[in-house]
Amino acid sequence: MMGANESIKDRGDNRLMLNIEGLIHGGDYNPEQWLERPEILIKDIELMKKAKVNVVTLGVFSWSMLEPTEGVYTFDWMEEIVGRLYDNGIKVFMATPSGARPKWMADRYEEVLRVDEQRVRQLFGGRHNHCYTSPVYREKAKAINHEIARRFSGHPGVVGWHISNELGGDCHCPLCQEAFRNWLKVRYKTIDELNRRWYTTFWSHTYQSFDQIESPSPIGESALHALTLDWQRFVTDQTIDFVKHEASVLRGYNNAIPVTTNFMYYFNGLDYFKFKDVVDFISWDSYPTWHKKDDHIIGLDNGMWHDMMRSIKNMPFILMESTPSYTNWQGVSKPKKPGMHQLASLQAIAHGSDAVMYFQWRQSRGASEKFHGAVVQHDGRDDTRYFKEVSEVGQNLADLPMLQGTHTEAKVAIIYDWENKWAIEASQGPRNKGFSYIEAIQKSYNALKKYGIDVDFIDMDCDMNKYEVVIAPMLYMFRNGIEDKIRQFVECGKTMIMGYWSGIVDENDQCFQGEVPYNLTDVFGVSRQEFVGMYDGEVNKVADGYCCEKFCEVLRGEGAKILYAYKEDYFADTPAVTVNHYGEKNGQAIYIGADFSQEFYNDFYRDVLEGTCIKPIITMSLPDYVHVSSRQSEDARYVFLQNYSNASVKLELGEGDDTIVFASGKDGIQPYGTIILKQRL
C-alpha cells in the first residue's frame, strides 16, 4: 500500500488502486437509521459476513447526523461503525454527505438552495437541491469533509472516497449567472466574438455586454442553440469544479486513497468523459427494467452502459449501486426472476467491473425509498430468496479473484459524445420526434455484440489510434479537430464508418458552409445534397430487402463505390451506403446515409469485420440471446458466455486449451446462466 503522501496520479498505471484483495461485494449501508436498535447493527455484521460482503459505502446521506447543528460534530457513532466493520473484515468507501444538506443550513443560508430555470428559488427538501456555485455551500462542504478526512484518512478500513451521490441538476441563481458570464468571458474573450459564434443576429438577439446574458429559460431566451449548448458545458464544468473542491480536502489528508463519484444510466445532464481526470476510478448505478421486454435486448442496453463506464478511463470500474430485487421508483417495480440477479451481477464483471454493490443493505422503515429492494428486507430474515441469491453472488465473486484488475482489449470503438448529443437534441430538424442518437449508437453496438466483439466508447477528445475500426453514428457536430483525426485514421489504413446526419455543424452549432461531411468529402468520396425526414411508417428500400425509415440523405457520389442504392422515391438509384478507399495504405471510409433497421446493421457489420483483422472472441455458433464478452490479464483471456433467456443452451467447446473456470449450472449454459472460459494467451 502507498504512503499517505504518494499521489495516485503519480504512479503511472491504470489499475484500480484499492487496498482490497479480490472482487468487491457490498453496498450502501445506512446505520444511522438504526442507532436506536443496536441489536440490528450487530445482526448486520453477522449477515454481511454470511453474504460475503467485503466493502460497504458509509455516510452518503449522513450530514444531519454528523453535524446536527452548525459547527457541532457528532462522529462517535460513525467511528464505532467503521471500527466494528474493520474488525470483521469489512472495508469502507467513505462518502461525503453533500448530496443532501441539513435543514439548519437551508434555513440560515438561502443561497444554498437552487433556483430553477423559471427563476424560482426552491424550498428545502429532496436531495441535490443545492447550488454548486454558492460560497456558503462550498465552505460548509469543505468543513464537514475536513472532519471526515481528519478522522478517517488514516484508518486502514477506509479504502476509497465517495464524493456526493448521483450528481446532477443545475441552478439559475444570481451566483450561477455571474459564474456563467465569467465562464463565457474566458471562452470568448469579447462580446463581439460571442455574438459571432452564437449567431445572435438571428431574431435580433445581439448582446452589447456579457452582463446582459442570462442562462436559457422557457420564459426567456431558448432559441439560441449555442447558448443552450454552452450552458450545458458550463454545468458540467461547474459540477466538476465542485467535485475537485470536495476531493482536494480529502486528498490533502491522504493522497493514497482513491476518489470516485457514482454516475447514472444514460444521464444527459453531465458529460461524463470530462470526469476522467477528476476521479481516480469510475463508478455507476445500474437499475435495468429486467423482464419488461426481451431480456436479451435489455441485457444489450445495460451491457453497453457498462462498456461506456469502463471506457471513460480505460480501466475497471465499480458497480456502485444495483438492486438484488426491485426498485420503488420505476413505472413498475418488478422483481428479478430467479437467476437474474446472478446473471446481471456477473454481466457487470464481464464488462469490466471489479465490484457488485447494492442500494441498500437493509430496507428503510420509512420515507421515499422504504419499498426499494435491499439485501435485508423488513422481516430481517436471511432465508429469503433475495438474501440467498445475494449470498450466492458473494460466493461467486470470492471464487473469481483472478479477474480483479483484468482489462478489456477492444479493437473497435464507437464515438459517443455528450456535446454532440446535446446539439442533436436541440437542433430543431430534420425530425423533432423519434430521431434518437442513443438508438443510432445502439444499433451499431448490438450488431457488434451479436458477433462477439468487445467494444470501447470514445468521445471526440479521445485518441483513436489504438483501434482498427471506429464507428461514428450521427456525428452531427464536429469539434476538437475530429475531421483531422478521422482523415489521419483512414490514412493509416484503418476502417472508419460514419453514419447519417454527420459533419453538419461546428462546436457552436453553426452550420458549415460548403459540402458536408465537413472537410471529409474526399475521404468518404461522397457529399450530402439533401436530407429527408420521413413520416412514421414511411420506408425506403435498398437491395437485399433492407429498409430505411425515419431519415435518409440524398447523396452525391464523389468517387466512392456504391454498396447500396435507394430503390424508391425521387432519389431512386442514388447512393445510400458507400465505401471509399483512401490514402497510400488503402484505408476504408464507409458512409451509411440512412437510418436502417437492425437487420441491416447485423449483416453489414458481419461483412465489414470479415475484411479486417478483427476476430470474434469465440468462434462457436451461439444464439443471439447468449452474449459474449471478455477480460484479460497478461497471460490469459476470460470469456463470459451469458444466457439471457429461459432456455438451456448446449455448449460444444472446440479443441484447444479453453478451460471452464465458472459455470452457474451443469450441461451447457442454463437459463439466466453464465459460463466463464479461460483461454491461454
Side-chain angles (χ1 to χ4, degrees), residues 632-653:
Q632 66 186 60
S633 61
E634 291 183 359
D635 60 357
R637 179 164 64 172
Y638 298 92
V639 177
F640 291 72
L641 309 177
Q642 297 197 282
N643 182 1
Y644 288 83
S645 80
N646 57 8
S648 296
V649 177
K650 187 176 181 181
L651 183 64
E652 295 182 0
L653 293 178

Side-chain angles (χ1 to χ4, degrees), residues 592-610:
I592 301 174
D595 175 31
F596 285 100
S597 64
Q598 185 66 58
E599 290 72 23
F600 167 82
Y601 289 97
N602 292 346
D603 295 345
F604 180 76
Y605 280 112
R606 177 198 60 209
D607 295 341
V608 169
L609 292 172
E610 284 179 354

Side-chain angles (χ1 to χ4, degrees), residues 168-353:
D170 56 1
C171 175
H172 298 257
C173 75
L175 293 169
C176 290
Q177 300 291 352
E178 186 61 27
F180 181 45
R181 294 174 191 125
N182 289 333
W183 185 91
L184 293 170
K185 289 176 185 177
V186 171
R187 185 175 179 86
Y188 295 109
K189 305 298 191 280
T190 68
I191 195 65
D192 288 342
E193 179 66 6
L194 178 144
N195 281 317
R196 184 183 72 81
R197 300 274 292 276
W198 281 13
Y199 209 71
T200 57
T201 50
F202 184 75
W203 283 358
S204 194
H205 286 184
T206 305
Y207 296 100
Q208 284 74 46
S209 73
F210 286 100
D211 293 338
Q212 295 176 329
I213 297 173
E214 289 272 348
S215 61
S217 171
I219 60 171
E221 181 62 87
S222 60
L224 286 175
H225 293 164
L227 165 63
T228 301
L229 190 55
D230 273 343
W231 175 254
Q232 290 170 299
R233 290 168 172 149
F234 164 76
V235 170
T236 289
D237 286 353
Q238 198 72 344
T239 305
I240 286 174
D241 189 65
F242 187 83
V243 171
K244 288 180 177 178
H245 177 78
E246 288 212 66
S248 66
V249 176
L250 307 174
R251 289 176 172 144
Y253 279 85
N254 190 342
N255 243 352
I257 301 178
V259 170
T260 193
T261 186
N262 50 330
F263 294 154
M264 293 178 283
Y265 167 84
Y266 286 122
F267 186 64
N268 200 41
L270 297 172
D271 182 346
Y272 283 158
F273 271 107
K274 297 293 191 295
F275 286 78
K276 63 185 175 184
D277 296 324
V278 179
V279 296
D280 298 310
F281 63 96
I282 301 297
S283 59
W284 83 288
D285 303 342
S286 173
Y287 296 103
T289 52
W290 297 114
H291 319 309
K292 184 176 181 179
K293 53 185 177 182
D294 189 336
D295 285 322
H296 154 60
I297 301 301
I298 296 171
L300 285 170
D301 178 61
N302 199 53
M304 174 175 146
W305 209 243
H306 282 314
D307 284 340
M308 182 75 71
M309 295 297 109
R310 172 181 49 75
S311 298
I312 291 173
K313 287 183 73 73
N314 277 310
M315 60 187 286
F317 63 94
I318 295 292
L319 175 59
M320 188 63 77
E321 290 185 21
S322 62
T323 176
S325 51
Y326 45 79
T327 68
N328 75 321
W329 45 265
Q330 291 167 333
V332 175
S333 296
K334 187 178 182 66
K336 293 176 177 175
K337 294 179 180 180
M340 178 51 78
H341 178 59
Q342 184 194 59
L343 179 66
S345 298
L346 292 178
Q347 181 193 39
I349 304 299
H351 287 261
S353 180

Side-chain angles (χ1 to χ4, degrees), residues 382-630:
D382 63 1
D383 59 355
T384 64
R385 174 168 73 90
Y386 303 135
F387 189 89
K388 289 178 180 178
E389 290 183 344
V390 166
S391 299
E392 182 182 20
V393 167
Q395 185 62 58
N396 296 159
L397 301 185
D399 292 340
L400 296 167
M402 76 291 286
L403 295 176
Q404 183 187 24
T406 55
H407 67 282
T408 299
E409 193 69 28
K411 295 298 183 184
V412 179
I414 297 175
I415 297 179
Y416 182 102
D417 191 277
W418 262 270
E419 294 186 33
N420 177 59
K421 182 175 185 292
W422 294 336
I424 289 171
E425 290 172 350
S427 64
Q428 293 184 278
R431 278 184 62 119
N432 296 319
K433 291 182 179 180
F435 196 52
S436 172
Y437 179 57
I438 296 292
E439 183 180 324
I441 297 284
Q442 287 172 329
K443 285 180 177 179
S444 290
Y445 178 85
N446 293 354
L448 293 166
K449 295 306 293 183
K450 176 181 174 66
Y451 297 109
I453 305 296
D454 284 324
V455 180
D456 279 355
F457 288 91
I458 58 176
D459 70 354
M460 283 186 262
D461 297 321
C462 293
D463 182 14
M464 297 164 52
N465 294 325
K466 63 178 284 191
Y467 303 103
E468 295 298 322
V469 176
V470 170
I471 303 161
M474 281 179 76
L475 202 64
Y476 166 74
M477 172 191 289
F478 276 9
R479 66 175 187 83
N480 197 31
I482 188 64
E483 62 274 19
D484 296 328
K485 291 183 181 180
I486 291 172
R487 180 181 297 274
Q488 292 165 10
F489 183 79
V490 179
E491 284 177 341
C492 288
K494 300 184 179 184
T495 298
M496 183 76 205
I497 303 171
M498 181 172 284
Y500 56 89
W501 201 233
S502 291
I504 309 296
V505 301
D506 66 12
E507 64 179 7
N508 288 98
D509 208 5
Q510 283 200 42
C511 294
F512 291 118
Q513 299 300 287
E515 295 181 332
V516 295
Y518 172 71
N519 205 28
L520 289 175
T521 55
D522 61 326
V523 175
F524 285 91
V526 70
S527 64
R528 177 174 62 82
Q529 293 180 279
E530 301 178 33
F531 60 82
V532 180
M534 301 166 71
Y535 293 116
D536 289 347
E538 186 180 5
V539 298
N540 203 319
K541 294 180 181 179
V542 297
D544 301 324
Y546 299 121
C547 294
C548 59
E549 58 185 6
K550 296 182 182 177
F551 177 83
C552 59
E553 295 179 332
V554 181
L555 303 175
R556 176 189 293 113
E558 306 281 359
K561 177 183 177 181
I562 299 176
L563 298 178
Y564 291 95
Y566 296 112
K567 284 190 169 184
E568 300 176 352
D569 219 324
Y570 64 91
F571 47 92
D573 299 323
T574 64
V577 182
T578 62
V579 61
N580 192 46
H581 293 279
Y582 181 83
E584 293 181 0
K585 295 186 177 180
N586 206 33
Q588 281 194 111
I590 298 171
Y591 194 87
I592 301 174
D595 175 31
F596 285 100
S597 64
Q598 185 66 58
E599 290 72 23
F600 167 82
Y601 289 97
N602 292 346
D603 295 345
F604 180 76
Y605 280 112
R606 177 198 60 209
D607 295 341
V608 169
L609 292 172
E610 284 179 354
T612 71
C613 63
I614 298 168
K615 304 302 179 187
I617 299 167
I618 199 162
T619 56
M620 70 179 70
S621 178
L622 293 167
D624 288 351
Y625 53 77
V626 174
H627 298 182
V628 182
S629 298
S630 75

